[in-house]
Amino acid sequence: MGSGKSTWAINYINANPQKKFLCIVPLLDECDRYKVNTDIDIIDPESWGSKWKHFRWLVENEKNIVTTHALIQKMDLDMLELLKSKEYVLMIDECLDVLSPYKISKDDVKIIFNEHLVSLDKAGFLVWNEEKKPYKGVYGDIKRLCSFKSLMGFKKDNSDELARILMWNFPVDFFKCFEESYIFTYLWDGSVQKSYFDIHEIKYKKYMLNDGKLIEHDIGLEYQKRKAVAGLIDIYEGKFNNIGAKIGKSNPLSKSWYEDKRKKNVSIFNQLKKNTENYFRTVTQTKSCDNMYTVFKPYCKYVKGEGYAKGFVTCNARGTNNFKDKKALAYLINFFMQPDIKQFVDHYHIRFDEDLFSLSTLLQWIWRSQIRDGKPIQIYIPSERMRNLLKQWIGECCENEKAA
């Protein structure tokens, strides 16, 4: 994070004006950055009735494009066919959301399979079986998604029974539309998109930046770079952490923990609120404008308190520099992958490091603060698991230095 990935992308664009670029960024603010800093004419789709309609016009006319993750999620078969013919260079800033449980009831799953509207092919994609017959009904969206391989399912082990989960996939053929593609992210091995690539056998190589130049990934050099910023992080160790201590099989401060406490023991939120207020008041002694915190959004009303209420930053924030003046942080959650996505990935026997996934999300959040400018931060992480993951990440670079 903050190593200059976006700067490298902009410099690459400026050095190759003869190429056509499709740049996909997390936020609209980042679109402006590309438009201001690139020498080429690069356009952010506007509403021509819809942004998607303008996006299509831009591709048809072979314009350079910068747009958001949200717009590209609307990818369809017609756009895939169009992109294949246009020879764009693809640049994706931060991983896309490529897997998401498809919302459908158990009864509807039974209907679409028992009525033979759909079936599973060998790769696990849903195939619509009524192509020769016109169909206009409640399952029209499923038919549309099947047309470009965007729904998957799987049968339970040693059973003909379909698993409960139907998984929406970002269309795999999208990545076949480009001869040259870049994804700019940190801790790729802990990303859902890495698992998605492995499931669909999409090949990739890992690189890193060194002095502004792209080189093959070097773990030793990564540890050196990590050590340079690890000393800027002051992790709170004290009694306010007791609320997040793991007892037995519990996962304190996870989403399920919050849901359970809301129903059975809402008073514990008040304790977390008091801890956080005391941390900012007595430990960091910072002004409210310097403070930043996160919690699962539905629980803000229970946890936000004096001295930090206006400093909320979503736990999955990435790609934004809007909070780079924040110096005191409180990360009040224990982050896990969605269980349905984990079950889906596990079915394909893909090794997925959930701890690395959680660490990546934590680090992305931390790097919204002033640490991205090389300035020190203080952080309160009551979750024992999340705190230990960060300490391990810091410790690895020190251990590597001793081994060397």
Side-chain angles (χ1 to χ4, degrees), residues 15 21 24 26 45 58 86 90 108 110 131 152 156 160 171 188 197 207 251 261 272 293 295 308 317 379 393 398:
F21 292 91
I24 304 171
L58 293 172
K86 296 301 182 180
L90 175 65
D108 281 337
K110 290 179 181 178
E131 286 294 344
M152 295 186 75
K156 295 179 180 178
D160 286 334
W188 165 257
F197 272 23
Y207 293 85
N251 283 307
K261 299 307 177 186
L272 181 60
Y293 83 105
V295 69
Y308 62 93
I379 186 166
W393 179 82
C398 300

Side-chain angles (χ1 to χ4, degrees), residues 71-261:
L71 186 67
I72 217 70
Q73 297 286 351
K74 298 178 180 180
M75 189 58 55
D76 58 24
L77 183 59
D78 289 341
M79 183 57 71
L80 289 174
E81 292 173 345
L82 183 59
L83 282 170
K84 283 180 183 178
S85 66
K86 296 301 182 180
E87 298 183 352
Y88 275 93
V89 176
L90 175 65
M91 290 186 163
I92 302 176
D93 192 355
E94 301 299 346
C95 290
L96 294 172
D97 291 329
V98 289
L99 294 176
S100 178
Y102 184 74
K103 294 181 180 179
I104 184 172
S105 70
K106 289 182 180 180
D107 288 340
D108 281 337
V109 171
K110 290 179 181 178
I111 289 171
I112 62 175
F113 278 92
N114 291 345
E115 296 295 325
H116 305 292
L117 292 174
V118 298
S119 57
L120 288 180
D121 67 13
K122 291 181 180 179
F125 289 104
L126 265 69
V127 177
W128 186 263
N129 294 326
E130 301 292 319
E131 286 294 344
K132 294 181 180 179
K133 299 178 182 179
Y135 177 86
K136 293 182 181 179
V138 292
Y139 303 117
D141 187 54
I142 293 176
K143 178 181 178 180
R144 180 184 66 84
L145 292 172
C146 287
S147 70
F148 49 94
K149 292 187 173 182
S150 201
L151 280 182
M152 295 186 75
F154 60 89
K155 293 181 179 178
K156 295 179 180 178
D157 292 339
N158 303 316
S159 171
D160 286 334
E161 183 182 354
L162 189 78
R164 179 178 61 86
I165 302 166
L166 290 186
M167 188 63 60
W168 172 86
N169 274 245
F170 188 81
V172 179
D173 285 345
F174 175 77
F175 297 99
K176 299 176 183 178
C177 296
F178 311 93
E179 291 295 323
E180 185 180 353
S181 304
Y182 301 89
I183 300 173
F184 306 104
T185 192
Y186 180 62
L187 292 184
W188 165 257
D189 289 339
S191 70
V192 173
Q193 189 163 355
K194 189 263 186 188
S195 294
Y196 162 94
F197 272 23
D198 291 344
I199 289 170
H200 298 298
E201 299 182 341
I202 299 172
K203 303 300 181 186
Y204 53 85
K205 290 183 180 179
K206 287 168 47 176
Y207 293 85
M208 65 187 300
L209 284 171
N210 187 39
D211 295 329
K213 296 180 180 179
L214 207 61
I215 63 171
E216 288 194 22
H217 183 258
D218 182 329
I219 188 64
L221 182 57
E222 180 187 327
Y223 284 141
Q224 290 178 32
K225 291 178 177 290
R226 189 185 303 182
K227 190 173 186 297
V229 297
L232 299 173
I233 304 173
D234 180 10
I235 304 172
Y236 170 77
E237 299 282 5
K239 63 182 182 180
F240 300 149
N241 286 334
N242 292 344
I243 197 170
K246 187 174 176 62
I247 301 174
K249 295 182 178 180
S250 68
N251 283 307
L253 303 174
S254 64
K255 185 173 284 188
S256 60
W257 180 89
Y258 274 95
E259 291 170 354
D260 181 66
K261 299 307 177 186

Side-chain angles (χ1 to χ4, degrees), residues 353-382:
D353 190 332
E354 187 165 20
D355 283 346
L356 195 61
F357 169 79
S358 301
L359 173 65
S360 175
T361 305
L362 169 61
L363 289 172
Q364 286 284 0
W365 186 82
I366 288 174
W367 251 259
R368 300 311 103 211
S369 71
Q370 70 174 17
I371 195 172
R372 67 185 302 106
D373 289 334
K375 298 176 182 178
I377 60 164
Q378 295 172 275
I379 186 166
Y380 170 46
I381 311 177

